[in-house]
Short mmCIF file of all heavy atoms in Angstrom, two decimals:
data_model
loop_
_atom_site.label_atom_id
_atom_site.label_comp_id
_atom_site.label_asym_id
_atom_site.label_seq_id
_atom_site.Cartn_x
_atom_site.Cartn_y
_atom_site.Cartn_z
N VAL A 20 92.81 87.48 105.60
CA VAL A 20 93.12 86.16 105.07
C VAL A 20 92.16 85.20 105.75
O VAL A 20 92.01 85.22 106.97
CB VAL A 20 94.59 85.76 105.36
CG1 VAL A 20 94.88 84.36 104.82
CG2 VAL A 20 95.55 86.77 104.76
N PHE A 21 91.52 84.33 104.96
CA PHE A 21 90.46 83.49 105.51
C PHE A 21 90.24 82.24 104.67
O PHE A 21 90.67 82.18 103.52
CB PHE A 21 89.16 84.28 105.62
CG PHE A 21 88.74 84.93 104.33
CD1 PHE A 21 87.83 84.31 103.48
CD2 PHE A 21 89.25 86.17 103.95
CE1 PHE A 21 87.44 84.91 102.29
CE2 PHE A 21 88.86 86.78 102.76
CZ PHE A 21 87.95 86.15 101.93
N SER A 22 89.57 81.28 105.28
CA SER A 22 89.17 80.07 104.56
C SER A 22 87.66 80.08 104.38
O SER A 22 86.94 80.56 105.26
CB SER A 22 89.57 78.82 105.35
OG SER A 22 90.96 78.69 105.39
N LEU A 23 87.23 79.57 103.25
CA LEU A 23 85.80 79.41 102.98
C LEU A 23 85.53 77.93 102.71
O LEU A 23 86.31 77.27 102.01
CB LEU A 23 85.37 80.24 101.76
CG LEU A 23 85.50 81.75 101.87
CD1 LEU A 23 85.07 82.42 100.56
CD2 LEU A 23 84.71 82.30 103.04
N SER A 24 84.44 77.46 103.26
CA SER A 24 84.00 76.09 103.00
C SER A 24 82.56 76.16 102.50
O SER A 24 81.61 76.15 103.29
CB SER A 24 84.06 75.24 104.28
OG SER A 24 85.38 75.14 104.74
N GLY A 25 82.42 76.30 101.20
CA GLY A 25 81.11 76.35 100.57
C GLY A 25 81.05 75.32 99.46
O GLY A 25 81.95 74.47 99.34
N GLU A 26 80.03 75.38 98.63
CA GLU A 26 79.94 74.45 97.51
C GLU A 26 80.87 74.87 96.38
O GLU A 26 81.51 74.03 95.75
CB GLU A 26 78.50 74.37 97.01
CG GLU A 26 77.59 73.64 97.98
CD GLU A 26 76.19 73.46 97.43
OE1 GLU A 26 76.04 73.40 96.19
OE2 GLU A 26 75.26 73.37 98.24
N LYS A 27 80.96 76.18 96.11
CA LYS A 27 81.80 76.69 95.02
C LYS A 27 83.11 77.28 95.53
O LYS A 27 84.13 77.16 94.89
CB LYS A 27 81.04 77.75 94.23
CG LYS A 27 79.80 77.21 93.55
CD LYS A 27 79.02 78.31 92.87
CE LYS A 27 77.73 77.74 92.29
NZ LYS A 27 76.86 78.77 91.75
N MET A 28 83.03 77.95 96.66
CA MET A 28 84.19 78.63 97.23
C MET A 28 84.79 77.74 98.32
O MET A 28 84.20 77.58 99.39
CB MET A 28 83.78 79.99 97.81
CG MET A 28 83.13 80.92 96.80
SD MET A 28 84.22 81.47 95.48
CE MET A 28 85.22 82.66 96.34
N LYS A 29 85.96 77.17 98.01
CA LYS A 29 86.63 76.26 98.95
C LYS A 29 88.10 76.63 98.99
O LYS A 29 88.72 76.83 97.95
CB LYS A 29 86.51 74.81 98.47
CG LYS A 29 85.10 74.29 98.41
CD LYS A 29 85.07 72.89 97.83
CE LYS A 29 83.69 72.53 97.42
NZ LYS A 29 82.96 71.61 98.05
N GLY A 30 88.65 76.73 100.20
CA GLY A 30 90.07 77.00 100.35
C GLY A 30 90.34 78.34 101.00
O GLY A 30 89.46 78.94 101.61
N LYS A 31 91.60 78.77 100.84
CA LYS A 31 92.04 80.04 101.45
C LYS A 31 91.90 81.18 100.45
O LYS A 31 92.22 81.02 99.27
CB LYS A 31 93.49 79.93 101.91
CG LYS A 31 93.65 79.04 103.11
CD LYS A 31 95.04 79.15 103.67
CE LYS A 31 95.15 78.21 104.86
NZ LYS A 31 96.40 78.38 105.57
N PHE A 32 91.46 82.33 100.97
CA PHE A 32 91.26 83.52 100.15
C PHE A 32 91.86 84.72 100.85
O PHE A 32 92.10 84.70 102.06
CB PHE A 32 89.76 83.74 99.90
CG PHE A 32 89.14 82.66 99.06
CD1 PHE A 32 88.69 81.48 99.63
CD2 PHE A 32 89.03 82.83 97.69
CE1 PHE A 32 88.14 80.47 98.86
CE2 PHE A 32 88.47 81.82 96.91
CZ PHE A 32 88.02 80.65 97.49
N VAL A 33 92.08 85.77 100.07
CA VAL A 33 92.67 87.00 100.59
C VAL A 33 91.89 88.20 100.05
O VAL A 33 91.53 88.23 98.88
CB VAL A 33 94.15 87.12 100.18
CG1 VAL A 33 94.77 88.41 100.70
CG2 VAL A 33 94.96 85.92 100.64
N LEU A 34 91.67 89.16 100.93
CA LEU A 34 91.20 90.49 100.55
C LEU A 34 92.30 91.46 100.96
O LEU A 34 92.72 91.46 102.12
CB LEU A 34 89.91 90.85 101.29
CG LEU A 34 88.60 90.29 100.75
CD1 LEU A 34 87.51 90.36 101.81
CD2 LEU A 34 88.17 91.03 99.50
N VAL A 35 92.79 92.26 100.01
CA VAL A 35 93.85 93.23 100.28
C VAL A 35 93.36 94.60 99.86
O VAL A 35 92.93 94.79 98.71
CB VAL A 35 95.15 92.88 99.51
CG1 VAL A 35 96.23 93.93 99.76
CG2 VAL A 35 95.65 91.50 99.90
N LYS A 36 93.45 95.56 100.77
CA LYS A 36 93.04 96.94 100.48
C LYS A 36 94.01 97.53 99.47
O LYS A 36 95.21 97.32 99.57
CB LYS A 36 93.06 97.76 101.77
CG LYS A 36 92.50 99.14 101.63
CD LYS A 36 91.19 99.23 102.36
CE LYS A 36 90.69 100.65 102.51
NZ LYS A 36 90.28 101.27 101.29
N THR A 37 93.48 98.25 98.48
CA THR A 37 94.33 98.84 97.44
C THR A 37 94.09 100.34 97.37
O THR A 37 93.18 100.87 98.00
CB THR A 37 94.01 98.25 96.06
OG1 THR A 37 92.72 98.70 95.66
CG2 THR A 37 94.07 96.74 96.06
N ASN A 38 94.88 101.00 96.57
CA ASN A 38 94.67 102.41 96.26
C ASN A 38 94.23 102.54 94.82
O ASN A 38 94.55 103.50 94.14
CB ASN A 38 95.96 103.20 96.50
CG ASN A 38 96.31 103.24 97.96
OD1 ASN A 38 95.45 103.37 98.82
ND2 ASN A 38 97.59 103.10 98.27
N PHE A 39 93.51 101.54 94.31
CA PHE A 39 93.08 101.49 92.92
C PHE A 39 92.10 102.62 92.63
O PHE A 39 91.08 102.76 93.30
CB PHE A 39 92.44 100.13 92.64
CG PHE A 39 92.01 99.95 91.21
CD1 PHE A 39 92.94 99.71 90.22
CD2 PHE A 39 90.68 100.04 90.87
CE1 PHE A 39 92.55 99.54 88.91
CE2 PHE A 39 90.28 99.87 89.55
CZ PHE A 39 91.22 99.63 88.57
N GLY A 40 92.42 103.43 91.66
CA GLY A 40 91.52 104.52 91.27
C GLY A 40 91.32 105.52 92.39
O GLY A 40 92.14 105.66 93.28
N LYS A 41 90.21 106.20 92.35
CA LYS A 41 89.91 107.23 93.34
C LYS A 41 89.14 106.67 94.53
O LYS A 41 89.00 107.32 95.55
CB LYS A 41 89.11 108.36 92.70
CG LYS A 41 89.88 109.10 91.62
CD LYS A 41 89.04 110.18 91.00
CE LYS A 41 89.83 110.87 89.89
NZ LYS A 41 89.04 111.89 89.23
N ALA A 42 88.63 105.46 94.39
CA ALA A 42 87.82 104.86 95.45
C ALA A 42 88.68 104.49 96.65
O ALA A 42 89.75 103.91 96.50
CB ALA A 42 87.10 103.62 94.92
N LYS A 43 88.21 104.84 97.82
CA LYS A 43 88.94 104.52 99.05
C LYS A 43 88.48 103.20 99.63
O LYS A 43 88.98 102.77 100.65
CB LYS A 43 88.75 105.64 100.07
CG LYS A 43 89.35 106.94 99.60
CD LYS A 43 89.21 108.02 100.63
CE LYS A 43 89.86 109.28 100.07
NZ LYS A 43 89.74 110.41 100.91
N ASN A 44 87.56 102.55 98.94
CA ASN A 44 87.01 101.30 99.45
C ASN A 44 87.31 100.12 98.52
O ASN A 44 86.61 99.12 98.53
CB ASN A 44 85.51 101.44 99.69
CG ASN A 44 84.76 101.94 98.47
OD1 ASN A 44 85.36 102.30 97.45
ND2 ASN A 44 83.45 101.97 98.54
N SER A 45 88.37 100.23 97.72
CA SER A 45 88.74 99.17 96.76
C SER A 45 89.64 98.13 97.42
O SER A 45 90.58 98.46 98.13
CB SER A 45 89.49 99.77 95.57
OG SER A 45 88.66 100.63 94.85
N TRP A 46 89.33 96.89 97.14
CA TRP A 46 90.11 95.76 97.62
C TRP A 46 90.38 94.84 96.44
O TRP A 46 89.67 94.88 95.43
CB TRP A 46 89.33 94.98 98.67
CG TRP A 46 89.05 95.73 99.94
CD1 TRP A 46 88.21 96.81 100.09
CD2 TRP A 46 89.58 95.46 101.23
NE1 TRP A 46 88.20 97.22 101.40
CE2 TRP A 46 89.03 96.40 102.13
CE3 TRP A 46 90.47 94.50 101.73
CZ2 TRP A 46 89.34 96.41 103.49
CZ3 TRP A 46 90.77 94.50 103.08
CH2 TRP A 46 90.21 95.46 103.93
N LEU A 47 91.39 93.99 96.58
CA LEU A 47 91.68 92.94 95.62
C LEU A 47 91.31 91.62 96.30
O LEU A 47 91.69 91.38 97.45
CB LEU A 47 93.17 92.95 95.25
CG LEU A 47 93.59 92.15 94.04
CD1 LEU A 47 92.87 92.64 92.79
CD2 LEU A 47 95.09 92.25 93.85
N PHE A 48 90.56 90.76 95.61
CA PHE A 48 90.06 89.51 96.16
C PHE A 48 90.58 88.37 95.31
O PHE A 48 90.41 88.37 94.10
CB PHE A 48 88.53 89.54 96.15
CG PHE A 48 87.83 88.31 96.65
CD1 PHE A 48 88.29 87.61 97.76
CD2 PHE A 48 86.69 87.86 96.03
CE1 PHE A 48 87.64 86.48 98.23
CE2 PHE A 48 86.00 86.74 96.50
CZ PHE A 48 86.49 86.04 97.61
N PHE A 49 91.25 87.39 95.94
CA PHE A 49 91.79 86.27 95.19
C PHE A 49 91.93 85.04 96.07
O PHE A 49 91.95 85.12 97.30
CB PHE A 49 93.14 86.62 94.53
CG PHE A 49 94.20 87.07 95.50
CD1 PHE A 49 95.10 86.18 96.04
CD2 PHE A 49 94.31 88.41 95.86
CE1 PHE A 49 96.10 86.60 96.91
CE2 PHE A 49 95.28 88.85 96.75
CZ PHE A 49 96.18 87.93 97.27
N LYS A 50 92.05 83.88 95.40
CA LYS A 50 92.27 82.61 96.08
C LYS A 50 93.77 82.46 96.31
O LYS A 50 94.57 82.66 95.40
CB LYS A 50 91.73 81.43 95.26
CG LYS A 50 91.82 80.13 96.00
CD LYS A 50 91.03 79.03 95.32
CE LYS A 50 91.08 77.78 96.19
NZ LYS A 50 90.33 76.70 95.60
N LYS A 51 94.13 82.09 97.53
CA LYS A 51 95.53 81.96 97.92
C LYS A 51 96.03 80.55 97.62
O LYS A 51 95.29 79.58 97.72
CB LYS A 51 95.66 82.24 99.43
CG LYS A 51 97.05 82.28 99.94
CD LYS A 51 97.05 82.68 101.41
CE LYS A 51 98.47 82.72 101.89
NZ LYS A 51 98.57 83.14 103.27
N LYS A 52 97.31 80.45 97.24
CA LYS A 52 97.91 79.13 97.03
C LYS A 52 97.93 78.39 98.35
O LYS A 52 98.26 78.95 99.38
CB LYS A 52 99.32 79.27 96.48
CG LYS A 52 99.36 79.77 95.07
CD LYS A 52 100.76 79.79 94.53
CE LYS A 52 100.73 80.32 93.10
NZ LYS A 52 102.07 80.31 92.50
#
């Protein structure tokens, strides 16, 4: 969980590790409320 301060990316974001598909390196990336 992290904050970004850029021109386009502003606010809190989350990366969550998933078991999506067969890949062991899949994450879900989204902006947090």
